[in-house]
Structures are given as structure tokens and as C-alpha cells.
Amino acid sequence: INHLLFAVETFKENLFGVGFQNYGIYSKKFAVKHKIIDQYSTMPLMNFNDGASNLNKLLAEFAIFNILFGFLFLYCIFKSNLSPQLKCFIFTLVITQLLRGAGYFNGGFIFFIMILFFSTFVRKLNDTSSSI
């Protein structure tokens, strides 16, 4: 809950986010400011780099750009030439990683998003180049 509160407050204060991989710095400042942790304690620092979920981390680091990411993801899900079973697998994996993933590069999160992205846009590029 603390990470979600931090992500929402960061989104309100900084519409463009705090930047890629800057979550840990700002979440620790937030926790100290709101007396969630003692400044010198180490135990409460668990998940302070990853936000306990990719959704929290994305909201804080990229803020308004997440709307673009969301539309792009949904567009790729519907327009990709992958089989429906594979689309369903990728969709559930990405949603699961958004809710409880521990980083962009863990659990196949970025890998499956890239597969979805390339299966959508590389096909379109190949279709256009073959018609020339």
C-alpha cells in the first residue's frame, strides 16, 4: 500500500515521472518524509527499488507515458498475428507481472512485451515492403 501511495503521489507531483530506474531513490525519500521508515533502518527497505509491483514502478517512473504504453499494448494484443492462445498467455503474464512483478527485466515481462510488439509491427513492415 505504501508503494501505491508513493506512486500516486509521484504521479500527481511529476506528470512525466521520476525517470527510468529512479524509483528506489524517490521511494526512500517518500518513506522517510512520511515516517514510514526510520532513516537508518534496513529491514523496511525491502522492495524499495522495485515497488513490489511493476505497476507502481511504471506509474512513478513514467507517469503519463503509461497511457501511451497501455494503448500500445492493447493495440498489439488485438493486431498481432500471434495465435489467440499465445496472445492470452502473453496478456495474462504481463498483467500478472504488472500486479506483482519485481522489475522490468524479471519474469519475462519485457521479453514478452517485445515479442508482442515485434509480432505486430514487423509483420506490417514486411507487408508494406513486399507490396513495393
Side-chain angles (χ1 to χ4, degrees), residues 74-87:
L74 291 175
Y75 176 81
C76 289
I77 282 288
F78 290 113
K79 296 295 183 178
S80 173
N81 61 347
L82 298 174
S83 70
Q85 295 85 356
L86 191 53
K87 286 181 187 180

Side-chain angles (χ1 to χ4, degrees), residues 13 25 37 39 49 51 56 65 71-72 75 88 96 104 111:
E13 290 176 1
I25 297 164
I37 62 170
Q39 189 167 5
N49 278 328
N56 294 336
F65 295 114
F71 283 130
L72 186 61
Y75 176 81
C88 184
T96 303
Y104 308 131
F111 178 70

Side-chain angles (χ1 to χ4, degrees), residues 96-110:
T96 303
Q97 288 291 312
L98 275 175
L99 296 177
R100 197 58 185 147
Y104 308 131
F105 306 109
N106 294 339
F109 183 71
I110 196 79

Side-chain angles (χ1 to χ4, degrees), residues 27-69:
S27 69
K28 187 173 180 182
K29 288 178 184 178
F30 172 84
V32 170
K33 175 182 164 187
H34 292 282
K35 295 179 177 51
I36 295 170
I37 62 170
D38 181 18
Q39 189 167 5
Y40 302 105
S41 178
T42 56
M43 182 61 180
L45 298 179
M46 294 163 66
N47 291 327
F48 85 100
N49 278 328
D50 60 23
S53 128
N54 283 335
L55 182 61
N56 294 336
K57 191 170 181 172
L58 281 168
L59 275 175
E61 290 184 358
F62 299 109
I64 198 77
F65 295 114
N66 284 311
I67 294 171
L68 174 67
F69 295 154

